[in-house]
Amino acid sequence: MIKYHKKRIVLIKCITTILVACFVTILAANKSVSANLIPENGPLDQATATVGQEMRNGSDHTLGNSFATKSSSSLGTDVFNIGDSSRPRVDAVDVASYQSQMTLNDYKKLKNLGVKTVIVKLTEGATYTNPAALTQIKNAAAAGLNVDVYHYFTSSTISGAKKEANYLLNFLKKNNLNKKILIMNDVEDDSTQTTQIGANLNAFWNVLSQAGYKQHGIYTGASYLYRDAAAKTVGFKRTWKAQYPYHPKAGTNWQTNYGAWQFSPTAKIPNGDYTGYIDVEMDYVNLFTKSSGTSPIQ
């Protein structure tokens, strides 16, 4: 009877150990976090975040695509309204085709909430153009907002970088965009991860500069391996860096060594016509306002 009891205890312990191990594995799989979301200046318990947007698949990427949690999570960055005084100040927002339903009224609301700049996605790689870009540019300018633009970079070679720059340049020229406009290059895609990222980006910038578009900036994130090399092509104060705390709070600012900080992809326009999410940023050095202002089209 005693031997049987001991065997039973051992069996129960083994089953318990197996169940605990399975639970830990499942939990880890559901709450994995990208390196971008581990705070450099904040507590670890604010590190978990998921970009809560449906816009993370296909060939049309938005800013922060690679900085989202790679697997699904029951958590995610929390949702809040732009203008909430308990949150970091929102100086700028960025939009892509996924915000194509935003109306002129939405842009006016952003202006009234203290937002200064809208950064519009134009192109990606050498084949994709945001079909809503011109409307978004015109609406933002009509609302009295500064307008900047961005390109999503995908190349790993100098020749590829030049091809992408010329593709973007074609859009800029065709639509008479102001040569003073700030052009941000979104450097986050895994395909761009190479030790020659600096040379690739400089080749990209040279094409634009030779055509008269000399206002350049970089967008990247904490998880991008060659982020410093990318930033050095324009300078750290002209670099806009993404890192998402789970619950961003007013007075708790990250990435202050850079020009701007993208702190959430899940903000909303209160009582807006557009009810989806929008990316928000804090501009530390007026990076986004030193551009063509409210005259993005010549």
Side-chain angles (χ1 to χ4, degrees):
M1 188 70 178
I2 293 175
K3 289 183 178 180
Y4 172 76
H5 183 67
K6 288 182 177 179
K7 288 181 179 179
R8 186 178 180 184
I9 291 173
V10 170
L11 180 61
I12 290 172
K13 287 182 177 180
C14 289
I15 293 173
T16 301
T17 300
I18 292 171
L19 289 174
V20 169
C22 290
F23 176 76
V24 169
T25 300
I26 293 171
L27 187 64
N30 287 333
K31 293 185 179 181
S32 63
V33 183
S34 76
N36 177 70
L37 302 169
I38 298 174
E40 296 174 354
N41 302 307
L44 187 59
D45 62 0
Q46 289 188 3
T48 302
T50 300
V51 177
Q53 300 182 11
E54 68 277 8
M55 54 206 63
R56 301 305 182 192
N57 301 310
S59 60
D60 181 15
H61 297 87
T62 57
L63 289 161
N65 168 72
S66 299
F67 307 141
T69 309
K70 296 300 184 182
S71 63
S72 60
S73 171
S74 60
L75 296 175
T77 52
D78 60 349
V79 178
F80 63 92
N81 285 331
I82 295 171
D84 183 342
S85 61
S86 70
R87 304 304 184 124
R89 182 185 74 243
V90 177
D91 295 319
V93 302
D94 60 85
V95 298
S97 64
Y98 304 101
Q99 286 81 28
S100 61
Q101 295 180 356
M102 284 178 63
T103 64
L104 176 58
N105 185 54
D106 287 321
Y107 290 97
K108 288 180 177 179
K109 281 183 179 290
L110 290 174
K111 173 72 173 180
N112 291 334
L113 289 167
V115 175
K116 298 176 182 178
T117 302
V118 175
I119 308 160
V120 180
K121 178 177 181 178
L122 298 187
T123 52
E124 175 173 338
T127 58
Y128 175 82
T129 298
N130 172 13
L134 275 181
T135 298
Q136 291 170 326
I137 288 170
K138 291 175 181 178
N139 281 342
L145 292 157
N146 300 308
V147 179
D148 299 328
V149 296
Y150 79 91
H151 168 81
Y152 188 93
F153 193 61
T154 63
S155 183
S156 61
T157 64
I158 287 176
S159 61
K162 290 179 179 179
K163 185 177 180 180
E164 289 193 33
N166 279 303
Y167 184 78
L168 169 61
L169 185 58
N170 182 61
F171 180 96
L172 297 172
K173 288 181 173 181
K174 179 181 177 180
N175 295 288
N176 297 313
L177 289 199
N178 195 321
K179 289 188 177 180
K180 293 181 180 179
I181 200 163
L182 175 63
I183 301 170
M184 306 298 296
N185 203 350
D186 178 357
V187 184
E188 61 175 291
D189 200 271
D190 287 343
S191 66
T192 67
Q193 298 264 20
T194 170
T195 55
Q196 70 170 40
I197 184 63
N200 294 343
L201 289 172
N202 283 327
F204 181 92
W205 298 135
N206 286 339
V207 170
L208 296 180
S209 293
Q210 288 171 11
Y213 290 94
K214 300 179 180 180
Q215 291 271 61
H216 308 152
I218 288 288
Y219 169 90
T220 191
S223 65
Y224 188 76
L225 184 59
Y226 301 104
R227 56 189 178 276
D228 285 354
K232 286 177 181 177
T233 65
V234 295
F236 283 78
K237 293 301 181 182
R238 296 186 69 82
T239 298
W240 164 27
K241 196 169 180 183
Q243 190 174 41
Y244 312 137
Y246 169 66
H247 185 84
K249 298 178 182 179
T252 304
N253 302 335
W254 296 0
Q255 305 301 345
T256 54
N257 291 329
Y258 294 83
W261 170 42
Q262 185 184 77
F263 62 87
S264 176
T266 49
K268 302 193 81 172
I269 304 171
N271 301 311
D273 297 326
Y274 172 70
T275 59
Y277 297 136
I278 192 167
D279 298 344
V280 290
E281 17 276 336
M282 181 179 284
D283 187 350
Y284 293 129
V285 298
N286 294 319
L287 170 63
F288 300 135
T289 58
K290 298 173 183 176
S291 184
S292 59
T294 58
S295 302
I297 299 175
Q298 292 177 324

